[in-house]
Amino acid sequence: GGGGGGGTEEGPKDPSEIVVGFAQVGAESGWRTANTKDIQAAFEEAGIELKFSDAQQKQENQIKAIRSYIQQGVDVISFSPVVETGWDAVLKEAKDAGIPVVLTDRAVDSQDESLYVSFLGSDFVEEGKKAGEWLVEEYADSTDPVNIIQLEGTTGAAPAIDRAEGFAEVIADDEKFEVVASQTGDFTRAGGKQVTEALLKSNPDVDVIYAHNDDMGLGAIEAIEAAGMKPGEDIKIITVDAVKDGMQALADGKINFIVECSPLLGKQLVDIVKKVVAGEEVEKRIITEETTFTQEEAVEALPDRQY
Ligand code: GZL
């Protein structure tokens, strides 16, 4: 209980008394491991106990973790929903238990917005649009067809759905752009490599690969080189995230453009938790700041990249 007078009035809790349960997606990508590190460091720094679980990208494991946090009576539950659907029941259980939920990174498709107090993360449709805008600019002077392979993120995940939507919206304006094949690589390097190997066989004259994250783009680079072609030249590559390995490939000319998606959500999540526990208002939707990188900009930025 906090300080202050007797009775039921609880003063604001000291950070050392707050317990947060976090259900992470998994460790599928460089982005995810950077996100985990940043969140754990932020709570360590704030002196707030963080219970942490890794769901290996399985929704049922995230639901199990959320249920265990409810059982343990944590003060706040936070998680990054691996897919958009299927959360209403467990979020209702948290609400009935009086435990506020903060979404980070990915969204849920719940119609009932009372099931979470805040959603902190990027605007993935905007990220897809930025990728499309670079492509439109890059091919502005050409009238030849531009054949695109799209490497989708995890099926049903908000970033996969939205990055495809934003990209499609922008390239729809010019019929020279055609997505000749689109398949999920599940946000992993291995997935990106396998899918690219298969799709290059069935689509030999591909101009561009649009990968929903760096890791799948790095897998595509391996597949393109194995096929005796030059990534970044014979086939241009656009990715999203801007983690160190992606930025290195961009600086090396193997990727052509990266749309940043910041994994550094830890400090903002700590602030939201403190406000929620203190009974203060929090914004329902907090969109993270992020930019884009060309090859030249990657050379400049690489030395200072934190992740
Ligand atoms: C985006 C995040 C995505 C990253 C991938 O915020 O959900 O999941 O883009 C990660 O690298 O796997």
Side-chain angles (χ1 to χ4, degrees):
T8 59
E9 189 49 39
E10 288 250 323
K13 277 195 169 183
D14 181 85
S16 63
E17 290 181 292
I18 300 173
V19 179
V20 174
F22 192 87
Q24 181 60 293
V25 169
E28 73 282 357
S29 65
W31 189 98
R32 187 64 54 196
T33 42
N35 178 245
T36 290
K37 231 170 92 197
D38 186 67
I39 287 170
Q40 289 176 330
F43 278 87
E44 175 78 25
E45 162 82 17
I48 295 176
E49 183 184 346
L50 182 76
K51 293 178 183 292
F52 182 88
S53 71
D54 171 332
Q56 287 94 36
Q57 286 192 276
K58 291 184 178 58
Q59 179 171 31
E60 65 267 20
N61 291 346
Q62 280 193 301
I63 291 172
K64 265 191 218 119
I66 292 169
R67 287 208 164 108
S68 83
Y69 295 145
I70 293 171
Q71 286 305 318
Q72 296 171 61
V74 299
D75 296 294
V76 180
I77 289 170
S78 182
F79 75 114
S80 168
V82 60
V83 292
E84 285 189 345
T85 56
W87 301 100
D88 282 19
V90 73
L91 291 179
K92 198 137 169 30
E93 290 165 32
K95 184 180 174 187
D96 294 347
I99 302 176
V101 173
V102 178
L103 300 182
T104 69
D105 169 27
R106 298 184 184 178
V108 296
D109 69 352
S110 296
Q111 301 312 313
D112 178 359
E113 291 214 334
S114 76
L115 291 176
Y116 58 90
V117 291
S118 184
F119 166 33
L120 162 65
S122 305
D123 178 339
F124 302 130
V125 174
E126 199 47 44
E127 292 172 348
K129 286 183 177 174
K130 289 176 185 174
E133 281 151 14
W134 180 84
L135 195 61
V136 167
E137 183 56 34
E138 182 70 10
Y139 285 90
D141 306 337
S142 129
T143 52
D144 298 341
V146 180
N147 296 329
I148 303 158
I149 280 179
Q150 179 171 233
L151 302 178
E152 300 168 10
T154 302
T155 304
I161 295 166
D162 294 351
R163 285 171 184 165
E165 180 189 316
F167 182 76
E169 196 179 306
V170 168
I171 65 170
D173 294 345
D174 187 332
E175 81 279 352
K176 76 186 172 207
F177 296 113
E178 186 189 353
V179 177
V180 295
S182 187
Q183 202 174 321
T184 181
D186 210 17
F187 280 131
T188 66
R189 197 178 291 215
K193 182 177 181 185
Q194 280 150 22
V195 171
T196 302
E197 277 165 358
L199 293 183
L200 284 182
K201 288 197 182 75
S202 44
N203 302 274
D205 56 346
V206 167
D207 301 295
V208 177
I209 289 178
Y210 168 46
H212 290 175
N213 80 333
D214 289 352
D215 296 69
M216 292 191 292
L218 292 163
I221 286 171
E222 291 177 34
I224 292 168
E225 290 178 333
M229 291 186 279
K230 280 179 145 317
E233 290 174 38
D234 300 330
I235 298 180
K236 293 194 182 347
I237 300 179
I238 307 166
T239 67
V240 184
D241 276 352
V243 294
K244 200 175 280 286
D245 289 350
M247 291 289 275
Q248 188 60 62
L250 181 59
D252 295 345
K254 295 188 175 182
I255 291 178
N256 300 83
F257 188 66
I258 298 186
V259 177
E260 184 184 41
C261 175
S262 175
L264 305 180
L265 306 177
K267 278 195 177 47
Q268 287 174 285
L269 181 55
V270 165
D271 292 346
I272 294 168
V273 164
K274 285 179 174 173
K275 282 183 179 164
V276 167
V277 169
E280 292 166 23
E281 274 299 296
V282 291
E283 286 171 81
K284 193 72 179 176
R285 177 75 178 96
I286 302 166
I287 296 183
T288 35
E289 301 289 314
E290 50 202 34
T291 182
T292 58
F293 293 96
T294 61
Q295 290 173 344
E296 298 72 30
E297 288 163 343
V299 173
E300 289 297 308
L302 251 178
D304 309 331
R305 293 300 283 177
Q306 297 173 57
Y307 57 89

